[in-house]
Amino acid sequence: MSSKSESKPVGQYFDAAIGLLQRVRDEESGNITEAGTLLADAVASGGRLFAFGAGHSSLAAQDVVYRAGGLALMNLLAVPGVVGVDVMPATLGSALERVDGLAGAVLDSSPARSGDALVIISLSGRNSLPVEMAMNARALGLKVIGVTSVAYATETKSRHVSGTFLKDHCDVVIDSKIAVGDAELTLDGVDAPFGPASSVVTNALMQAMVAAAIEGLTSRGIQPPLLRSGNVDGGHDWNGRVFQEYGDRIFYRH
């Protein structure tokens, strides 16, 4: 059994994560519901859904794509080199987030079009890539939902030429409440804070947003195009029927 001193940071981390989850539940539920409504609007009108994030923010985007219990129409808008830490060296991904013009090139070559909805996840919302992604997407006629920490807009400077942040170019903004630096814990003898919680919170926000969209579709009498787990009996057959019906709006199968 672990001693009290050994388990202290463990308990502190869970307390911090739970506290953040409670905050976003209590303070952001209206924005989450509004974002879900935008997703439902796109689905109901024949549009498609996309999610984008760079670096570790991409984890939350990927979590709602081709996911059991998730909307089949959610597609990953991938930018080569920034989807995760698989690019070598890993620092290249961070550098690419600051490249002007990259977002426009990605959108121009993507299937995204007017009437679609795009969720952009960026913890800081300060780099060129998420800012330009939002600006260009809205110019194309997409509805844009931003999932970001609003604190960065007051405590840091934008890295985009406009001086703006992701939050300034969205139809709906959901504040993850993550403190600048994304580290919840400190410990005597350790020179830097640690214990990032942005992934825990942002993944929960994304799933709550999808749940709101499902409720919104159901309230309109529309059966949500949901996927089932391939590890339960009948799951593959169920998903096959969904893919067949909505194949023209699902791009991760092409």
Side-chain angles (χ1 to χ4, degrees):
M1 176 177 282
S2 299
S3 68
K4 185 175 180 180
S5 61
E6 290 173 333
S7 64
K8 186 176 180 181
V10 175
Q12 288 177 336
Y13 180 82
F14 279 109
D15 287 345
I18 290 168
L20 285 164
L21 289 170
Q22 289 175 329
R23 279 194 68 195
V24 295
R25 178 197 64 191
D26 296 341
E27 300 174 21
E28 295 298 309
S29 59
N31 292 328
I32 297 168
T33 299
E34 187 177 353
T37 298
L38 287 186
L39 297 183
D41 288 345
V43 173
S45 62
R48 294 82 57 81
L49 309 179
F50 297 90
F52 164 77
H56 287 94
S57 290
S58 180
L59 296 174
Q62 294 178 59
D63 195 51
V64 293
V65 176
Y66 186 49
R67 185 63 189 261
L71 287 169
L73 306 190
M74 185 65 78
N75 300 278
L76 182 68
L77 186 62
V79 177
V82 306
V83 173
V85 294
D86 56 331
V87 62
M88 294 296 289
T91 51
L92 175 60
S94 297
L96 289 173
E97 289 186 61
R98 305 179 190 183
V99 174
D100 294 334
L102 180 56
V106 169
L107 278 171
D108 288 345
S109 60
S110 79
R113 66 188 185 194
S114 180
D116 294 345
L118 169 63
V119 185
I120 300 176
I121 306 156
S122 174
L123 176 59
S124 73
R126 68 188 298 220
N127 291 313
S128 291
L129 186 55
V131 173
E132 289 187 358
M133 187 73 76
M135 295 172 69
N136 283 287
R138 292 183 87 187
L140 289 172
L142 280 76
K143 294 295 185 181
V144 176
I145 299 162
V147 181
T148 186
S149 170
V150 174
Y152 278 83
T154 57
E155 299 181 37
T156 69
K157 292 183 178 180
S158 170
R159 290 181 174 139
H160 187 253
V161 64
S162 68
T164 61
F165 288 75
L166 168 61
K167 73 174 187 63
D168 300 315
H169 305 284
C170 299
D171 296 282
V172 179
V173 175
I174 300 174
D175 184 2
S176 65
K177 314 293 182 183
I178 300 296
V180 173
D182 191 18
E184 295 295 322
L185 304 180
T186 58
L187 191 64
D188 289 344
V190 179
D191 292 340
F194 58 99
S198 60
S199 295
V200 174
V201 175
T202 308
N203 277 30
L205 287 172
M206 292 297 291
Q207 293 298 344
M209 185 193 310
V210 170
I214 291 167
E215 180 185 30
L217 288 168
T218 304
S219 68
R220 306 176 198 200
I222 299 172
Q223 184 63 227
L226 295 172
L227 296 174
R228 293 191 180 220
S229 172
N231 295 312
V232 299
D233 292 342
H236 285 298
D237 292 338
W238 171 281
N239 292 342
R241 291 190 294 271
V242 174
F243 292 149
Q244 184 174 12
E245 182 175 355
Y246 293 95
D248 60 333
R249 298 154 75 180
I250 298 172
F251 303 102
Y252 49 82
R253 298 187 67 246
H254 299 320

